[in-house]
Amino acid sequence: MKQDPPRAPSPGIDPSQDQFDLALQAAREAKTLDELRQAQSIILPQLAGLTQEQTAKSLGTSRSTLIRLQKRPVKNAQSKDHRGGRRNAIMSPKEERDFFKAWNHEIRENPPELVNQISEALAQKLGRKVPKTTLYRLLHKYGWSKQKTRSLTSEERPDKVPTLLDLAKATGYSKTTVSLALRDSSTLPEKTRRYIKTLANKWGYAPDPNMEKLMEKVRENRRNRTPDIIAYLTAYQDRNDWQKNPTHRAYREGAYERARQCGYQLEEFWLNEPEMSAHRLSEIIRQRGIEGVVVAPLPQSRPSLEAFRWHYFSAVELGYSLQHPSLYRACNHQFQSMQLLMRELQKIGYHRIGFAMEEDQDNRVQHNWKGGYLSALSGKTAPEEAPFLLSRDWNRKRFGQWFENSRPDAIVTTGPEIQRWLKELEIPYPEEVGLAHVNLTPAMQEVTGIDQQSQQVGFASIDLLLSLMRNNERGVPQSPRSFMVEGKFRPGTTTCSQDS
């Protein structure tokens, strides 16, 4: 049988310069995978000289889908109209907001006659009746829900502990909806969740702990088959700058290992990618189907990430460097660490213990270093008499002047500078002054100080995050909680007993 010759590859499209420029702009501003793919369907044939078949293969689509993408009008951020034409045909966005603002109270209360009342008011304003489907769509947009309600009598309350099925029968919702409401799922309207949870509290509903364990085992098995992703956000100027800090490396190692043990994979997302913003990154993470976010320590003290769309995610921060918003936190108990170090130094005979630290180091932990130090002096030394140096002007000259004027018998600090400066100033330790560090790193094997258990802080961040994900706690919490890991004292050769 005679075979047909193979079809020659189709040449790429030939868009106008305006279309090409518009596609380039749309690619830079794309917030969804579909928007990016449409822009690339026009850009790739021109920049790479690809045929239609090659372009479709590179985008992971069929040739017919590629043609539809190329024919669809490309819109940039300025030309997009996110509201849709049908609603704008009824009223302008401002008119719509003003109209429904007057009905806010009634929409929250949801009386039985509400729909008819708004329908009549809207018909009077527009001079024509509005279809019920359009009216319901608008009402849903402003927080209304067509709730299935029925009167509940005391006789209907079950004698035993109520089950999901009892709540479902009483409310008129399915068991799935009741379960989602009790887990505060954002897929349900707030009014529906509040209604079901109010009844559950009234009836004394409590989840079965054995069932919770069983479901967690099911979820764990599912995770072990296909690891889910946990996002690890970094924000240093250069992508890998955070790796220069030993504490930050230990945080990440602990978080990575704990995530792996629980069947998850930790993946880094860099906030300073070119053309990247906090808002856009949150949309990318959401499009990836990622539900959990760990915010690594940030480079400057107290920055803000308000533009990140936190309501999509369960989130935990490491340390105190994020000022806004305030999230659940995993960190070292720095106040306890400083108190422990001071007690251990006092035990071996040090009495005039000096505090020397760069100001930003204390700011980053919400002044817990300073607070722990001053509390340890209580009843022993007046704060104004303590040898204390907390300086923005952090250099060897400033430290040397302070040391000559204060003459402490021991110094507590963080950071590697003072150990180096003592050597450069030819001040022997521990003979002339003891040196103790509140945040020991692996390189400080001989230094007296506190092991902050930084890997355990990383472990704790994942444990806390998974508990939030299990309970479906999303967004910025009203009452943030902190998971603190206590430090351990480790003696070294930079201090010695003063009693001899």
Side-chain angles (χ1 to χ4, degrees), residues 202 280 329 488:
K202 179 181 177 182
R280 186 180 180 195
R329 176 184 297 113
K488 290 185 177 180

Short mmCIF file of all heavy atoms in Angstrom, two decimals, residues 202 280 329 488:
data_model
loop_
_atom_site.label_atom_id
_atom_site.label_comp_id
_atom_site.label_asym_id
_atom_site.label_seq_id
_atom_site.Cartn_x
_atom_site.Cartn_y
_atom_site.Cartn_z
N LYS A 202 -22.42 24.35 70.36
CA LYS A 202 -23.61 24.28 71.19
C LYS A 202 -23.91 22.82 71.57
O LYS A 202 -24.32 22.53 72.70
CB LYS A 202 -24.80 24.89 70.44
CG LYS A 202 -26.11 24.85 71.20
CD LYS A 202 -27.22 25.45 70.37
CE LYS A 202 -28.57 25.35 71.08
NZ LYS A 202 -29.66 25.90 70.24
N ARG A 280 3.45 38.77 43.45
CA ARG A 280 3.56 37.84 42.32
C ARG A 280 4.09 36.48 42.77
O ARG A 280 3.63 35.43 42.31
CB ARG A 280 4.47 38.43 41.25
CG ARG A 280 4.51 37.58 39.98
CD ARG A 280 5.42 38.16 38.93
NE ARG A 280 5.44 37.34 37.73
CZ ARG A 280 6.33 37.43 36.77
NH1 ARG A 280 7.29 38.33 36.86
NH2 ARG A 280 6.27 36.64 35.72
N ARG A 329 5.76 31.55 64.92
CA ARG A 329 7.23 31.68 64.89
C ARG A 329 7.90 30.48 65.55
O ARG A 329 7.43 29.99 66.59
CB ARG A 329 7.62 32.96 65.62
CG ARG A 329 9.12 33.19 65.76
CD ARG A 329 9.43 34.43 66.57
NE ARG A 329 8.94 35.63 65.91
CZ ARG A 329 7.96 36.38 66.38
NH1 ARG A 329 7.36 36.06 67.52
NH2 ARG A 329 7.56 37.45 65.73
N LYS A 488 21.71 25.25 75.02
CA LYS A 488 22.49 24.43 75.94
C LYS A 488 23.86 25.06 76.16
O LYS A 488 24.50 25.52 75.21
CB LYS A 488 22.66 23.02 75.37
CG LYS A 488 21.39 22.19 75.36
CD LYS A 488 21.69 20.77 74.89
CE LYS A 488 20.44 19.90 74.94
NZ LYS A 488 20.73 18.50 74.49
#
